């Protein structure tokens, strides 16, 4: 199968041995975005990047990851202009604010309540530059994955993988109907369903043995593959890597 710039990361993900190749891709996309906005290239100094981070801001999870990354000045500069925009919007709403009047049971009520300024402010808080950029990359990876399934060699690689976490399994099932030709539906659904169940069962057995090892009667028994069963189970359920150390600036 001939590789090009779009297929290389997807192939790397399925060669990684990760419990879910799409978790692997998602982590890489997230880390590359953190490095892009706060890394040594100083993208946060570019006007277009600063405008984008000012508009979208960052969710709580990614604010913490920016803090962990370690570029204090870069993160502070990004948040300085973002905070200034939030403060301007807050002041504009607060200056014209009058407390609402509570109507009695026979009072006139608006049939369509208008969105308040603090609700609009809250909507801004629900956006995140890193989340949005990560999802952009993931959309491309999912599309590339379905294109690559046309190749028998890649289908063999998928069938030999450790399956998918439940979050990315659901995403694949949602996309398959529109992304795959009818001729590939039978292979895809039978392979992905059996592959996912088989590997969920494998991880559950490891988790069961991890629990059993805490019984004094099994103190001298081999750990088998259970030492990291807890983080792998968490990944299979929610698609995350809980054992990862914080991603830091090098």
């Amino acid at each position: 199968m001939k590789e090009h710039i779009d297929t290389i990361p997807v192939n790397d993900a399925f060669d990684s041995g990760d419990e879910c190749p799409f978790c692997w891709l998602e982590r890489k996309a997230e880390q590359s975005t953190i490095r892009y906005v706060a890394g040594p290239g100083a993208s946060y100094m570019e006007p277009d990047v600063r405008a984008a981070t000012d508009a979208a801001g960052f969710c709580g999870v990614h604010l913490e990851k920016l803090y962990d990354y370690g570029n204090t000045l870069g993160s502070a500069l990004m948040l300085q202009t973002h905070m200034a925009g939030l403060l301007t919007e807050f002041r504009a709403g607060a200056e014209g604010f009058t407390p609402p009047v509570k109507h009695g049971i026979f009072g006139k009520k608006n049939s369509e309540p208008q969105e308040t300024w603090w609700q609009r402010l809250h909507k801004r808080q629900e956006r995140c530059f890193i989340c949005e950029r990560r999802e952009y990359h993931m959309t491309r990876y999912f599309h590339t994955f379905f294109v690559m399934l046309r190749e028998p060699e890649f289908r063999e690689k998928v069938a030999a993988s450790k399956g998918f976490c439940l979050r990315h399994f659901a995403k694949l099932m949602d996309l398959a109907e529109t992304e795959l030709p009818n001729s590939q539906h039978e292979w895809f659904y039978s392979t992905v369903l059996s592959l996912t169940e088989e590997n969920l069962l494998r991880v559950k057995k490891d988790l069961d043995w991890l629990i059993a090892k805490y019984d004094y009667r099994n103190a001298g028994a081999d750990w088998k593959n259970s030492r990291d069963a807890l983080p792998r189970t968490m990944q299979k359920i929610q698609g995350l890597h809980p054992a990862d150390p914080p991603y830091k600036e090098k």
Side-chain angles (χ1 to χ4, degrees):
M1 180 171 57
K2 188 176 179 179
E3 286 197 330
H4 56 80
I5 194 168
D6 290 330
T7 64
I8 289 171
V10 178
N11 260 324
D12 288 347
F14 279 88
D15 289 337
S16 70
D18 198 275
E19 288 290 349
C20 173
F22 289 99
C23 290
W24 189 90
L25 284 165
E26 194 170 61
R27 176 172 57 186
K28 292 290 184 182
E30 179 182 73
Q31 291 178 350
S32 69
T33 303
I34 292 171
R35 188 169 61 250
Y36 171 73
V37 297
S43 295
Y44 56 85
M45 296 300 293
E46 299 294 330
D48 57 336
V49 176
R50 186 71 69 82
T53 57
D54 285 350
F58 303 96
C59 67
V61 170
H62 286 126
L63 278 175
E64 185 171 350
K65 290 191 176 185
L66 281 173
Y67 182 83
D68 288 338
Y69 185 69
N71 185 346
T72 299
L73 178 59
S75 296
L77 286 168
M78 279 188 292
L79 294 181
Q80 182 185 46
T81 51
H82 177 60
M83 189 72 165
L86 292 175
L87 183 58
T88 298
E89 189 169 342
F90 179 88
R91 282 173 172 165
E95 285 172 2
F97 173 71
T98 56
V101 177
K102 186 175 182 181
H103 296 284
I105 58 173
F106 299 109
K108 186 177 180 181
K109 296 180 180 179
N110 293 327
S111 56
E112 294 184 6
Q114 298 296 309
E115 185 179 50
T116 63
W117 62 270
W118 57 85
Q119 288 170 337
R120 290 193 298 272
L121 193 63
H122 181 64
K123 280 185 177 179
R124 286 196 64 184
Q125 299 304 99
E126 293 178 332
R127 290 191 61 193
C128 175
F129 179 85
I130 296 174
C131 286
E132 291 172 9
R133 191 174 174 92
R134 181 189 62 194
E135 289 311 305
Y136 166 78
H137 287 298
M138 291 304 296
T139 298
R140 291 178 53 220
Y141 291 144
F142 278 114
H143 175 72
T144 300
F145 166 80
F146 284 108
V147 171
M148 292 170 69
L149 285 181
R150 299 171 187 171
E151 300 289 338
E153 181 183 347
F154 183 67
R155 291 201 296 272
E156 290 177 8
K157 186 175 289 191
V158 172
S161 73
K162 294 180 179 179
F164 311 98
C165 72
L166 288 174
R167 181 162 61 84
H168 289 126
F169 161 77
K171 183 71 173 179
L172 289 170
M173 295 293 283
D174 284 342
L175 293 173
E177 185 176 355
T178 55
E179 291 277 0
L180 277 179
N182 290 334
S183 60
Q184 291 187 355
H185 278 190
E186 183 177 353
W187 178 88
F188 176 81
Y189 289 119
S190 62
T191 300
V192 169
L193 287 170
S194 61
L195 185 66
T196 303
E197 182 178 6
E198 173 188 335
N199 284 281
L200 286 172
L201 181 61
R202 170 182 57 80
V203 173
K204 183 183 180 299
K205 285 182 177 178
D206 290 342
L207 184 69
D208 291 343
W209 184 242
L210 172 67
I211 295 168
K213 271 290 293 174
Y214 282 85
D215 188 320
Y216 72 94
R217 291 169 293 186
N218 296 319
D222 192 281
W223 282 90
K224 302 179 184 178
N225 294 318
S226 69
R227 288 187 184 274
D228 63 346
L230 181 59
R232 287 189 291 112
T233 300
M234 291 178 176
Q235 183 182 356
K236 284 295 190 187
I237 292 171
Q238 279 291 348
L240 44 81
H241 294 90
D244 278 0
Y247 181 60
K248 293 184 177 292
E249 184 177 22
K250 294 180 181 178

